[in-house]
């Protein structure tokens, strides 16, 4: 047969390659979507059981202050008030973000605007190093350094929200820093040049132009850091004290959603109230990470509209 | 095309790895010589108590060298997980620190108990507290929150920091069964892992908690109760009250391979060496027996 005709009428090697590539990437995507959906379904079905099977009132669950899964009250319901853990989780998260943001923005500004190329590279590797440290190491450092420090200077046992927030501060710092660096780099060069040409000082340019232009990116970075802090379990569990009562202050022992979850899940039996209650906590965590994601989307959209 | 094949190979290899994860521990022993006359074969999955895990892991390793056709997988996960998994039939053996009767949500009559070791536990305090002996009542009052300063029990003027174990943990159930006399412990800090508790007690002034004997190191102070020291010998005759069995539960009677392994666990080979080396007390040394309700009888 005519080789040209042959080439045109039959599928070529390249077309087949294209097809294979597509099959592989589609099956990967499908796998990921199925995994995400099944995790959602699994956690939700388990987490809702507390309310549908054990008949715990949703509002009481979210606002109750007593957490005693093994104890039943007068009406026969288990005492499940998750408020102490919710407050604890948000407490450490916001405090950690509050501590970390100034340092992160400062470091990022230095790296992008002031530092020489060599300094920048050096700082970059320092920040990346912080990401690689396993959380159990952070927890152990917190237990051996932060807790005694707090106890010495502020009294109490040293375990509490402040210790948790300090450990988390170091853990979220690299996340916020590296994302802030990216958003500062994304500020168009001519903004800076125009500002300097108009006679603005370096500080005025940074403060009035660069930071303003990068605001939405920086906010996204902070939210990402908070999402990481909210979900961190091991390091926080080691320094917060795991006392499921309403935190009386920054220095008294408290608990977070994750710390109660990791401690309890191996000691309860599938299908019991105590176990279902833990799945409900997991559901709250999952929903919160969804909320953090949505906030990031919203900020991203707003930022795009402005520019 | 080469690249594509490469990618495909990587995907295949990684999925094979994923699948393989569930059944590790197998190949390495294939070449080992078997010397037992009655060759058993089969697959045993053991899940549960992290306190018992190291002993079972070590024993399983030795057992598989002699019985190359048996494939044993040992995992942690906690006593609650062990019991619920064996009840649902997902695993062959469920390890537990507590009697199945004590765990809510478990139908104990479906499960067969195999006691393989004994663990003694003792209250431990920070060395700065200056206390070495308490009465049982004092200990109870410390954990219910009636006694809040070490000077009330003859120690230094130092407030007490309670570190409890999480609700439902085997160690806590054992401690409360022996000490609390039905009273509820005060809400306090909780910590799950033995190692972390040990470190926290060592460095927190005024801290008190309780630990298995094997975790009591020189940097913390174990408490005697009513003048009785926490020693292995005192556990074997029940002079020291805070101890529990390590259980291996099967659903119904075990099959041949599992039975062979459980027999191996209580054989002198394990009880006389491994059990001792890893800080447990041999089941064959016990002069008393305890039932699920906590009643102790002499053997």
């Amino acid at each position: 047969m005519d080789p040209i005709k042959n080439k045109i009428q039959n599928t070529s090697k390249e077309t087949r390659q294209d097809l294979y590539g597509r099959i592989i990437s589609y099956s990967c995507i499908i796998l990921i979507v199925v995994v995400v959906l099944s995790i959602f379904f699994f956690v939700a079905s388990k987490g809702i059981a507390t309310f549908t099977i054990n008949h715990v009132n949703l509002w009481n669950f979210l606002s109750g202050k007593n957490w005693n899964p093994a104890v039943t009250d007068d009406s026969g319901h288990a005492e499940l008030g998750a408020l102490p853990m919710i407050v604890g989780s948000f407490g450490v998260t916001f405090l950690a973000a509050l501590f970390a943001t100034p340092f992160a923005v400062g470091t990022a500004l230095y790296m992008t605007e002031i530092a020489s190329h060599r300094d920048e590279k050096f700082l970059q590797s320092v920040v990346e190093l912080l990401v690689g440290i396993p959380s159990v190491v952070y927890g152990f450092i917190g237990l051996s350094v932060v807790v005694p420090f707090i106890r010495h200077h502020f009294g109490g046992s040293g375990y509490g929200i402040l210790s948790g927030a300090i450990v988390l501060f170091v853990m979220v710092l690299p996340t916020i820093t590296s994302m802030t660096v990216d958003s500062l780099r994304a500020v168009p060069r001519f903004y800076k040049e125009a500002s300097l040409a108009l006679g603005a000082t370096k500080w005025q340019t940074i403060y009035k132009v660069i930071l303003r232009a990068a605001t939405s990116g920086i906010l996204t970075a902070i939210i990402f850091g908070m999402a990481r802090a909210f979900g961190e379990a091991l390091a926080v569990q080691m320094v917060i004290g795991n006392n499921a009562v309403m935190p009386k202050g920054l220095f008294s022992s408290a608990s977070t959603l994750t710390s109660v979850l990791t401690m309890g899940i191996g000691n309860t039996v599938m299908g019991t109230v105590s176990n279902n209650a833990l799945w409900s906590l997991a559901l709250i965590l999952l929903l919160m990470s969804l909320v953090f994601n949505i906030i990031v989307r919203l900020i991203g959209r707003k930022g795009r509209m402005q520019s | 095309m080469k690249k594509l094949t490469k990618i495909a190979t990587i995907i295949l290899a990684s999925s094979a790895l994923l699948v393989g994860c569930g059944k590790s521990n197998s190949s390495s022993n294939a070449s080992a010589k078997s010397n037992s006359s009655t060759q058993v074969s089969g697959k045993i999955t053991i899940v549960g108590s992290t306190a018992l895990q190291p002993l079972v892991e070590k024993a399983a390793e030795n057992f598989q060298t002699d019985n190359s056709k048996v494939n044993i997988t040992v995992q942690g996960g906690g006593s609650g997980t062990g019991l619920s998994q064996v009840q649902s039939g997902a695993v062959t053996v469920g390890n537990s620190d507590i009697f199945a009767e004590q765990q809510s949500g478990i139908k104990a009559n479906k499960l067969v108990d195999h006691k393989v070791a004994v663990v003694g536990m003792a209250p431990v305090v920070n060395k700065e507290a200056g206390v070495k002996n308490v009465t049982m009542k004092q200990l109870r009052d410390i954990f219910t929150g009636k006694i809040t300063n070490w000077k009330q029990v003859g120690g230094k003027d130092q407030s007490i920091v309670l570190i409890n174990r999480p609700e439902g943990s085997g160690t806590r159930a054992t401690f409360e069964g022996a000490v609390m006399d039905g009273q509820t412990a005060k809400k306090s800090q909780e910590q799950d892992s033995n190692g972390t508790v040990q470190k926290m007690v060592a460095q927190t002034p005024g801290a008190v908690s309780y630990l298995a004997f094997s975790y009591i190191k020189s940097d913390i102070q174990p408490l005697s109760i009513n003048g009785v020291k926490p020693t292995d010998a005192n556990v074997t005759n029940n002079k020291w009250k805070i101890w529990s069995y390590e259980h291996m539960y099967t659903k119904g009677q075990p099959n041949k391979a599992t039975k062979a392994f459980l027999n191996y666990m209580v054989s002198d080979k394990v009880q006389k060496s491994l059990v001792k080396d890893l800080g447990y007390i041999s089941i064959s040394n016990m002069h008393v027996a305890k039932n699920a309700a906590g009643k102790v009888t002499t053997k």
Side-chain angles (χ1 to χ4, degrees):
Chain A
M1 212 197 285
D2 184 10
I4 295 180
K5 193 180 167 196
N6 194 15
K7 207 172 175 185
I8 293 172
Q9 288 188 337
N10 293 320
T11 38
S12 69
K13 205 172 117 192
E14 285 72 20
T15 319
R16 276 204 305 277
Q17 252 182 33
D18 195 54
L19 184 71
Y20 291 148
R22 213 178 291 180
I23 289 174
I24 289 175
S25 37
Y26 275 136
S27 39
C28 290
I29 291 168
I30 290 171
L31 185 74
I32 289 172
V33 171
V34 167
V35 166
V36 170
L37 283 182
S38 30
I39 288 176
F40 245 95
F41 177 76
F42 188 71
V43 175
S45 64
K46 291 263 177 197
I48 288 172
T50 314
F51 312 109
T52 54
I53 297 173
N54 307 116
H55 302 291
V56 175
N57 184 308
L58 176 63
W59 177 245
N60 288 349
F61 184 79
L62 292 177
S63 65
K65 291 178 187 165
N66 293 317
W67 180 261
N68 290 312
V71 180
T72 45
D73 62 11
D74 307 332
S75 53
H77 294 326
E79 265 193 301
L80 297 175
L83 194 62
M85 280 83 89
I86 297 174
V87 170
S89 275
F90 277 104
V92 290
T93 303
F94 280 119
L95 270 181
L98 201 68
F99 295 157
T101 304
F103 288 94
V105 173
T107 314
L109 274 176
Y110 178 77
M111 281 166 73
T112 53
E113 303 301 326
I114 299 160
S116 67
H117 191 66
R118 217 189 52 197
D119 288 2
E120 192 191 325
K121 278 267 171 296
F122 172 72
L123 272 175
Q124 184 111 33
S125 45
V126 169
V127 169
E128 276 160 13
L129 201 67
L130 281 179
V131 183
I133 299 175
S135 55
V136 66
V137 174
Y138 280 114
F140 244 58
I141 294 171
L143 194 56
S144 333
V145 180
V146 179
V147 170
F149 178 83
I150 302 276
R151 177 170 56 232
H152 200 140
H153 291 275
F154 300 99
S157 66
Y159 301 96
I161 287 185
L162 190 65
S163 304
I166 290 175
V167 169
L168 281 177
F169 150 67
V170 186
M171 296 181 77
V172 300
L173 195 60
T175 313
I176 304 184
T177 308
S178 54
M179 287 186 69
T180 306
V181 167
D182 291 343
S183 71
L184 291 179
R185 287 221 178 101
V187 174
R189 210 182 127 94
F190 56 82
Y191 279 24
K192 199 165 119 188
E193 284 165 354
S195 165
L196 290 172
L198 284 170
T201 61
K202 197 161 197 171
W203 166 244
Q204 284 169 331
T205 307
I206 289 174
Y207 181 65
K208 300 221 156 142
V209 177
I210 295 175
L211 278 183
R212 299 293 155 97
T215 305
S216 73
I218 295 172
L219 282 178
T220 310
I222 296 171
I223 301 287
F224 261 101
M226 283 170 67
R228 170 143 164 67
F230 203 80
E232 174 54 40
L234 198 59
V236 179
Q237 187 206 319
M238 289 168 86
V239 299
I240 199 164
N242 306 312
N243 190 355
V245 294
M246 280 304 275
K248 288 184 208 78
L250 294 181
F251 312 117
S252 69
S253 56
S255 60
T256 63
L257 292 164
T258 46
S259 76
V260 171
L261 247 176
T262 50
M263 277 201 316
I265 204 87
N267 296 319
T268 55
V269 174
M270 282 270 183
T272 57
V273 186
S274 331
N275 191 267
N276 287 343
L278 291 176
W279 282 107
S280 303
L281 296 185
L283 184 61
I284 296 179
L285 274 171
L286 196 63
L287 292 177
M288 275 315 300
S289 67
L290 199 67
V291 169
F292 281 128
N293 259 320
I294 291 171
I295 296 176
V296 167
R297 293 273 146 148
L298 288 179
I299 292 173
R301 196 176 298 163
K302 218 176 157 201
R304 224 175 298 129
M305 278 190 307
Q306 275 172 356
S307 55
Chain B
M1 199 61 203
K2 246 187 188 167
K3 228 179 196 170
L4 199 72
T5 341
K6 228 184 210 168
I7 294 170
T9 325
I10 290 170
I11 291 174
L12 270 179
S14 50
S15 55
L17 261 179
L18 275 174
V19 172
C21 273
K23 34 183 170 182
S24 50
N25 271 7
S26 54
S27 54
S28 57
N29 301 297
S31 59
K33 259 193 199 157
S34 100
N35 52 10
S36 71
S37 46
T38 51
Q39 190 57 280
V40 287
S41 64
K43 193 173 173 317
I44 309 174
T45 320
I46 303 173
V47 165
S49 159
T50 43
L52 184 54
Q53 195 183 356
L55 175 64
V56 180
E57 260 171 6
K58 270 266 158 49
E61 214 171 276
N62 297 348
F63 183 76
Q64 286 176 108
T65 339
D66 296 345
N67 299 275
S68 55
K69 282 187 184 152
V70 180
N71 175 5
I72 305 178
T73 312
V74 185
Q75 289 166 13
S79 301
T81 309
L83 286 172
S84 60
Q85 297 262 9
V86 72
Q87 174 170 268
S88 69
V91 299
T92 334
V93 179
N95 291 344
S96 172
D97 304 336
I98 55 175
F99 280 96
E101 286 86 347
Q102 291 173 295
Q103 180 70 264
S104 69
I106 294 293
K107 293 185 191 73
N109 53 0
K110 294 255 171 68
L111 301 176
V112 181
D113 187 7
H114 309 270
K115 304 185 183 81
V116 295
V118 169
V119 173
M121 293 158 204
V124 289
V125 297
N126 183 276
K127 287 207 148 172
E128 304 288 306
V131 178
K132 286 186 175 154
N133 179 52
V134 289
T135 67
M136 194 60 113
K137 189 174 178 318
Q138 283 172 333
L139 186 62
R140 194 179 309 138
D141 288 348
I142 288 171
F143 275 86
T144 52
K146 274 185 209 146
I147 294 176
T148 55
N149 195 308
W150 286 114
K151 71 179 176 194
Q152 288 167 271
V153 289
K156 284 190 192 151
D157 183 7
Q158 168 83 54
S159 57
I160 296 175
V161 178
L162 278 183
I163 301 172
N164 218 329
R165 309 303 283 270
E167 194 108 30
S169 91
T171 316
R172 177 159 172 174
T174 306
F175 182 80
E176 296 198 332
V179 174
M180 298 309 284
D181 196 23
Q183 297 185 45
T184 5
K186 187 184 156 196
K187 273 236 153 196
S188 64
Q189 290 196 36
E190 288 175 6
Q191 201 53 249
D192 195 22
S193 117
N194 281 303
T196 315
V197 170
Q198 199 244 337
K199 192 165 166 50
M200 283 169 84
V201 172
Q203 66 158 34
T204 312
V208 58
S209 188
Y210 41 91
L211 281 171
F213 285 179
S214 53
Y215 284 92
I216 299 174
K217 308 269 163 62
S218 58
D219 55 354
I220 51 179
Q221 175 67 49
L223 289 182
S224 302
I225 299 176
N226 299 336
V228 179
K229 283 213 171 84
T231 61
D232 288 3
N234 284 336
V235 168
T236 56
N237 53 22
N238 200 41
K239 266 192 190 157
W240 182 261
K241 312 270 186 218
I242 316 171
W243 57 273
S244 73
Y245 292 110
E246 291 293 352
H247 309 263
M248 293 177 77
Y249 278 98
T250 53
K251 191 179 186 181
Q253 287 303 328
N255 66 21
K256 241 181 169 179
T258 315
K259 196 168 177 105
F261 179 61
L262 290 170
N263 283 339
Y264 177 73
M265 285 296 302
V266 293
S267 70
D268 279 357
K269 230 176 177 178
V270 171
Q271 294 289 327
K272 289 248 160 77
S273 60
L274 264 186
V275 165
K276 235 181 151 183
D277 294 345
L278 294 174
Y280 307 88
I281 300 163
S282 167
I283 196 98
S284 42
N285 288 349
M286 294 300 289
H287 303 300
V288 292
K290 202 190 255 186
N291 69 8
K295 203 163 154 13
V296 177
T297 46
T298 40
K299 267 191 194 167

